[in-house]
């Protein structure tokens, strides 16, 4: 999975999938490629900001020729409004398109249509599907409650042969509601034709973890409790709400990022090697890890939460979170969350997995950090700083860094820290393009399986309940700072910087 790299140095509980899941592996192999993509919620922010640009970059490669793209939403958009959205979302992709890709994008610009549609009205969605060439992928770019209601109104007979259902997270609001949603979906189509989108799993860097771990004989033998002290997965943003209070104030950092994205990354870092890189083997391994995951009580020790106060980021004043437009202070929503997950497994017994994500922080930090244990004995005579080796996997920029101690320069008995860097190869697609490629090809490899969605809620639900009961104090940090000063993950290095990789600014999660 790893592409060519440029290197240099610089100083500085068990269960098994149900029958529907077991059948999934054979289902997608026999399904023809999707001919129509119906985007529900097409007038919303997600479609314009992430989904359609990802689709455009995919079509620009020349793949999925002839795809019918239809938008639908509750808003009464005119053909001109939809045309402007399609043109704006495809403009960047046209610049680097292949000849075949340019032809496809121009065709989609001409032919794509939009219709006003109330998906919660009985028969409305089924009627829209009947007009499209089958097989159809239905992308629910909608709030979870509306998606669940729309699916509950559908019957299997409403769906053309080969229909695929594509859902955005969160998948339910609890373990029980996720299980209920899964039951609803599986009454409509087999598990193998349900795509629960986690665009983190579309990132080439996440898949590069598999190549890093399983294609290098020097690394996998030490990837266990005997040699690793801790693992951290961090997604800190330097953006505040950016107009997303309507969603974020009801979710918070724990639900928004950790409950889905970061737990999935944890599973890929911790899983055993699959026999094949296919959806069954890979998703079985992910599921096994998450079934073993727990957050131990007391939650005052294993979890932390905080909310930003007024501050400044890159010279821009940021108001107190409770003063942001659309925020209801009574919800007591956290903007920074951290949990320590333990895995009940032979490989990882006693190793803490620390997951952290937040907004309005002083530094963008998007990485996984593996800290190795110290050597068992350092020969007498060496001097200087002997620090633990750390492996950093960046999620933007896509880089790999290994911190090691070496001799010199100058005094050969003096230990100095150097960093070995590698730039990881990037794919030609945006994360949503990678996910959509799997949807249109009928491959759920990069989608979240139903049992995994339930496991993620099971892991975090006790924490959410404890936080709702104010059993864990709400701390504060000024916008533009690294977070509460007493959190180890907020600590700065001796040079006054945090020494972590920075990535390009992001609008955050969808």
């Amino acid at each position: 999975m790893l592409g060519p790299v440029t290197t240099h140095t610089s100083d500085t509980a068990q269960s098994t999938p149900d029958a529907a899941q077991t059948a999934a592996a054979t289902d997608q192999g026999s399904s023809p490629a999707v001919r129509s993509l119906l985007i529900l919620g097409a007038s919303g922010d997600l479609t314009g900001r992430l989904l359609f640009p990802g689709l455009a970059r995919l079509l620009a490669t020349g793949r999925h020729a002839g795809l019918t793209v239809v938008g639908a939403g509750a808003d009464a958009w005119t053909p001109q409004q939809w045309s402007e959205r399609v043109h704006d979302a495809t403009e960047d992709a046209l610049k680097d398109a292949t000849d075949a890709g340019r032809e496809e994008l121009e065709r989609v610009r001409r032919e794509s249509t939009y219709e006003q549609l109330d998906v919660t009205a009985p028969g409305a969605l089924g009627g829209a599907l009947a007009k499209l060439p089958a097989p159809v992928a239905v992308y629910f770019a909608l709030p979870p409650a509306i998606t669940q209601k729309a699916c509950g109104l559908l019957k299997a007979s409403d769906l053309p042969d080969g229909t695929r259902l594509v859902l955005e997270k969160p998948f339910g609001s609890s373990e029980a509601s996720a299980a209920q949603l899964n039951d609803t979906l599986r009454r409509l189509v087999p598990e193998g034709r349900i795509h629960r989108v986690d665009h983190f799993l579309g990132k080439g860097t996440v898949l590069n973890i598999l190549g890093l771990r399983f294609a290098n004989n020097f690394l996998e033998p030490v990837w266990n409790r005997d040699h690793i002290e801790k693992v951290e997965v961090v997604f800190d943003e330097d953006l505040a709400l950016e107009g997303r209070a309507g969603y974020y104030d009801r979710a918070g950092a724990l639900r928004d990022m950790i409950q889905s994205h970061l737990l999935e990354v944890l599973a890929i870092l911790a899983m055993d090697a699959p026999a094949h890189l296919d959806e069954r083997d890979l998703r079985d391994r992910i599921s096994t890890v998450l079934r073993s995951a727990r957050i131990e009580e007391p939650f005052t020790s294993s979890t932390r939460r905080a909310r930003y106060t007024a501050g400044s980021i890159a010279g821009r004043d940021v108001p107190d979170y409770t003063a942001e437009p659309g925020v209801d202070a009574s919800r007591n929503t956290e903007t920074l969350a951290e949990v320590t997950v333990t895995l009940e497994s032979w490989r990882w017994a006693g190793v803490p997995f620390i997951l952290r994500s937040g907004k309005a922080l002083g530094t963008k930090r998007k990485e996984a950090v593996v800290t190795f244990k110290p050597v068992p004995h350092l020969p007498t005579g060496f001097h200087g700083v002997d620090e633990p080796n750390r492996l950093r996997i960046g999620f933007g920029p896509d880089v790999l860094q290994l911190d090691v101690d070496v001799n010199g320069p100058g005094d050969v008995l003096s230990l100095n820290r150097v960093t070995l860097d590698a730039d990881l190869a990037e794919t030609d697609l945006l994360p949503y393009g990678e996910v959509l490629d799997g949807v249109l090809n009928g491959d759920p490899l990069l989608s979240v399986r139903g049992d995994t969605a339930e496991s993620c809620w099971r892991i975090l639900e006790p924490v959410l309940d404890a936080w709702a009961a104010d059993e864990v104090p709400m701390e504060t940090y000024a916008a533009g700072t690294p977070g509460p000063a007493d959190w180890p993950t907020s600590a700065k290095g001796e040079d006054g910087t945090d020494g972590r990789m920075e990535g390009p600014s992001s609008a955050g999660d969808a």
Side-chain angles (χ1 to χ4, degrees):
M1 300 300 295
L2 282 170
V5 299
T6 303
T7 60
H8 57 276
T9 62
S10 59
D11 290 329
T12 44
Q14 298 300 312
S15 63
T16 57
D18 63 23
Q21 293 158 357
T22 301
T26 57
D27 176 73
Q28 82 275 0
S30 60
S31 296
V34 167
R35 295 179 58 199
S36 301
L37 175 63
L38 173 61
I39 303 174
L40 306 178
S43 57
D45 174 69
L46 171 66
T47 300
R49 183 168 54 91
L50 294 172
L51 179 54
F52 221 112
L55 173 64
R57 185 75 67 86
L58 173 61
L59 297 179
T61 65
R63 283 171 268 185
H64 307 291
L67 180 70
T68 297
V69 181
V70 174
D75 296 324
W77 271 24
T78 65
Q80 179 62 28
Q81 284 177 291
W82 179 246
S83 178
E84 290 175 359
R85 161 146 289 186
V86 174
H87 276 67
D88 290 347
T90 55
E91 196 65 34
D92 286 342
L94 273 170
K95 298 174 185 176
D96 301 316
T98 65
D99 290 342
R102 177 175 292 276
E103 183 177 335
E104 278 301 301
L105 287 175
E106 294 290 0
R107 181 190 62 79
V108 169
R109 282 180 160 192
R110 292 192 307 271
E111 298 179 1
S112 181
T113 59
Y114 175 91
E115 66 174 292
Q116 187 176 10
L117 184 69
D118 179 4
V119 296
T120 64
L125 181 51
L129 288 170
K131 296 183 290 185
L132 298 174
V136 182
V138 187
Y139 200 113
F140 292 85
L142 298 168
I146 297 178
T147 295
Q148 187 147 0
K149 185 174 182 180
C151 290
L153 291 171
L154 285 172
K155 302 186 297 293
S157 58
D158 294 329
L159 305 181
D161 289 344
T163 295
R164 297 186 170 273
L165 304 179
V166 192
L167 291 83
E168 280 285 332
K169 66 94 177 168
F171 315 116
S173 57
S174 64
E175 184 180 12
S177 63
Q180 182 180 12
L181 176 59
N182 285 336
D183 288 342
T184 298
L185 296 173
R186 290 176 191 140
R187 284 197 295 269
L188 299 173
V189 298
E191 172 67 29
R193 286 197 264 126
I194 302 169
H195 298 258
R196 300 169 188 83
V197 173
D198 185 338
H199 65 272
F200 260 47
L201 300 184
K203 286 180 178 286
T205 302
V206 173
L207 292 180
N208 271 330
I209 295 172
L210 301 178
L212 174 69
R213 288 190 52 197
F214 301 128
N216 294 288
N217 197 38
F218 74 92
L219 192 57
E220 185 60 20
V222 298
W223 205 260
N224 55 54
R225 60 185 170 83
D226 294 329
H227 301 279
I228 290 178
E229 186 73 35
K230 63 180 177 179
V231 179
E232 298 166 280
V233 183
V234 178
F235 198 92
D236 283 357
E237 298 182 84
D238 62 349
L239 298 175
L241 280 185
E242 311 302 324
R244 296 180 63 238
Y247 162 74
Y248 193 88
D249 196 45
R250 290 174 171 80
L254 189 60
R255 290 184 179 90
D256 183 46
M257 291 296 299
I258 294 177
Q259 186 274 334
S260 52
H261 303 323
L262 300 196
L263 280 173
E264 291 281 343
V265 174
L266 175 155
I268 292 173
L269 286 166
M271 73 184 197
D272 290 336
H276 307 93
L277 288 182
D278 58 26
E279 70 84 22
R280 177 70 187 278
D281 278 4
L282 182 62
R283 300 203 297 177
D284 277 354
R285 294 301 194 192
I286 290 173
S287 178
T288 298
V289 171
L290 292 176
R291 288 200 304 270
S292 76
R294 301 287 186 274
I295 299 175
E296 298 179 347
E297 297 188 63
F299 296 133
T300 50
S301 299
S302 59
T303 74
R304 294 185 173 97
R305 60 176 180 157
R307 185 168 57 206
Y308 68 79
T309 58
S312 176
I313 302 174
R316 177 172 57 93
D317 290 338
V318 177
D320 186 290
Y321 176 79
T322 59
E324 292 268 24
V327 168
D328 181 352
S330 67
R331 291 196 180 101
N332 211 25
T333 301
E334 81 285 351
T335 61
L336 176 63
E338 180 178 302
V339 298
T340 299
V341 180
T342 59
L343 302 181
E344 297 176 344
S345 70
W346 185 280
R347 182 192 286 261
W348 295 114
V351 178
F353 283 75
I354 301 167
L355 311 183
R356 164 182 159 137
S357 182
K359 288 187 174 293
L361 295 152
T363 302
K364 297 182 292 292
R365 185 188 175 197
K366 304 172 184 180
E367 62 177 352
V369 183
V370 180
T371 301
F372 292 88
K373 291 182 177 180
V375 296
H377 170 69
L378 184 67
T380 302
F382 280 119
H383 56 89
V385 177
D386 175 34
E387 298 181 4
N389 303 118
R390 291 183 178 88
L391 177 67
R392 302 178 186 274
I393 304 167
F395 304 132
D398 294 347
V399 298
L400 185 71
Q401 295 180 342
L402 179 61
D403 297 335
V404 297
D405 292 325
V406 298
N407 301 53
D411 184 350
V412 295
L413 295 180
S414 176
L415 296 174
N416 291 277
R417 173 54 52 98
V418 299
T419 301
L420 310 177
D421 291 350
D423 297 323
L424 299 177
E426 297 182 357
T427 71
D428 57 353
L429 300 178
L430 297 172
Y432 269 86
E434 293 186 281
V435 170
L436 282 169
D437 195 30
V439 171
L440 299 178
N441 281 327
D443 182 4
L445 175 69
L446 297 180
S447 300
V448 176
R449 202 167 67 186
D451 59 326
T452 297
E454 294 174 32
S455 287
C456 289
W457 283 115
R458 190 264 308 157
I459 294 164
L460 288 183
E461 232 177 316
V463 178
L464 291 166
D465 291 343
W467 287 11
D470 283 330
E471 295 175 12
V472 176
M474 177 73 77
E475 301 180 56
T476 60
Y477 62 99
T481 66
D486 61 342
W487 292 22
T489 50
S490 299
K492 290 180 176 289
E494 293 179 358
D495 61 355
T497 66
D498 63 13
R500 295 157 185 155
M501 296 180 288
E502 296 189 22
S505 184
S506 166
D509 188 36

